[in-house]
Amino acid sequence: KYYEEGRAAAGDGWWVREYTWDFAVAVDLTGDRAPVIENVTQLLTTVDTGPQTVEAMITDDNPGGGNAGVASAEIHYSLDGGATFTPVAMADQGGDIFAADIPGQAPGSSIFYKVVATDVEGLVSESAVFNYGIFEVINTNLLVIFNGGSEARANQLVPFYLQGLVENYDLWAAFGPVDEFINQYDAVLEISAEGGPSDDNREALTNFAASGNKVLGVIGMEILGYLYNYDDLTFEAGDYEYEILGVLNSYNDVNFDGVGNQADPSPIKAIAGTAYGDALAQWQADNALETISFDPNGILGASNWMDQFDPREDIGSEVFLHGFALDGSERPVGHSWTHPVNTCLLY
């Protein structure tokens, strides 16, 4: 539509108006149709090299009358993107559920699979193709856990976060929760996605820290709030945040006041003389800057949910980064400390 005199504050010109029409349609099915395959198990990448069970709900009807029913069901799987699929017969578990195991595979394998069903009249249907991997431990110096988002997002963002500082590392790319396999690494860095972590790895990371002579780094805007409805809290002895992250009080989403300003950047400043902040503090000084901008929206297209915290006072925490809330309050947003079993921790 064209507004000759302009519209609101946008000036003269054409405006696009988009409309969508939804229709409910009643359909009578006639004749026969192939089996319907639903609820196929979507396997996640795992360290388990044993068989992996896949289930699916498979039903068959014949709206036109006549014979109906599932005659057979199979899992078809291939390795490492190969074009040849190997069939494995699925057993009827009752209640329209069929199941079978994909044979165990070696670490480093990538497995693609689908469900194929045939009805009593010979009609065949296939599910979508799914895939998972068998995680391979290659470089025990560092494991990077990308918690949340997708594998594609992990492969995009983790190199950005590391900025070439570490060239060789293993990547757990949004594959689900981690467990004790991480204890074989010297260092673990958990990076949470922009929207917050999707998996609760607190127990595994606590056990990793307790194993001694390790380095643990935890990075993410929503680490302190995602399990607690983003309420400001005081943590106590026994809490992961207290025992492992070394945090006493949390202050959530200090850049947000409820009116849509989560896209705005926040000022932060590095602390000179600290192990993790000195280089950035020197850069600030060289450029005569009091603060720099924390701008996830401008860099990543993500909202700014910056949290502040108070470190525990009894642990010798070294705060290397301060952040400023909308109300001007200045508190730590990054620190490091040494765990009693010689684990250096970073938030």
Side-chain angles (χ1 to χ4, degrees), residues 46-47 49 105-110 134-137:
T46 179
V47 295
T49 57
Q105 304 297 332
S109 299
S110 180
I134 309 299
F135 187 77
E136 184 176 15
V137 176

Side-chain angles (χ1 to χ4, degrees), residues 79-92:
L79 299 179
D80 302 323
T84 301
F85 281 79
T86 301
V88 177
M90 302 182 77
D92 188 347

Side-chain angles (χ1 to χ4, degrees), residues 140-333:
T140 58
N141 290 329
L142 173 64
L143 172 68
V144 178
I145 302 168
F146 188 76
N147 190 349
S150 65
E151 183 175 358
R153 190 63 166 158
N155 289 324
Q156 177 188 38
L157 287 183
V158 170
F160 168 80
Y161 286 127
L162 296 181
Q163 292 292 306
L165 296 175
V166 181
E167 295 183 359
N168 299 312
Y169 56 88
D170 289 353
L171 175 61
W172 185 264
F175 297 145
V178 296
D179 55 30
E180 66 274 4
F181 84 88
I182 69 174
N183 292 341
Q184 59 195 297
Y185 289 90
D186 298 326
V188 168
L189 174 64
E190 183 186 57
I191 301 173
S192 293
E194 307 96 298
S198 59
D199 299 310
D200 184 356
N201 289 326
R202 292 178 300 172
E203 181 178 357
L205 295 179
T206 297
N207 292 337
F208 171 81
S211 61
N213 298 314
K214 305 288 188 179
V215 176
L216 172 64
V218 180
I219 299 174
M221 289 185 287
E222 302 290 29
I223 290 296
L224 298 177
Y226 78 111
L227 289 176
Y228 309 106
N229 198 35
Y230 307 101
D231 292 331
D232 297 345
L233 294 177
T234 296
F235 298 105
E236 300 176 345
D239 293 336
Y240 165 77
E241 294 78 8
Y242 185 93
E243 300 288 352
I244 303 302
L245 298 185
V247 171
L248 179 62
N249 300 307
S250 66
Y251 306 91
N252 287 272
D253 303 338
V254 297
N255 183 69
F256 180 64
D257 65 3
V259 294
N261 54 350
Q262 65 269 23
D264 298 338
S266 297
I268 59 175
K269 70 176 182 181
I271 308 302
T274 60
Y276 293 101
D278 189 63
L280 182 56
Q282 185 61 54
W283 182 88
Q284 288 177 197
D286 292 344
N287 289 275
L289 296 172
E290 290 293 328
T291 63
I292 58 176
S293 289
F294 174 68
D295 188 11
N297 183 60
I299 297 173
L300 301 175
S303 295
N304 178 3
W305 305 118
M306 186 178 75
D307 297 342
Q308 299 171 319
F309 62 89
D310 294 326
R312 287 170 50 185
E313 296 181 353
D314 61 326
I315 59 173
S317 163
E318 182 176 80
V319 174
F320 60 86
L321 197 64
H322 278 189
F324 295 82
L326 281 178
D327 63 7
S329 59
E330 178 182 351
R331 296 188 183 94
V333 294

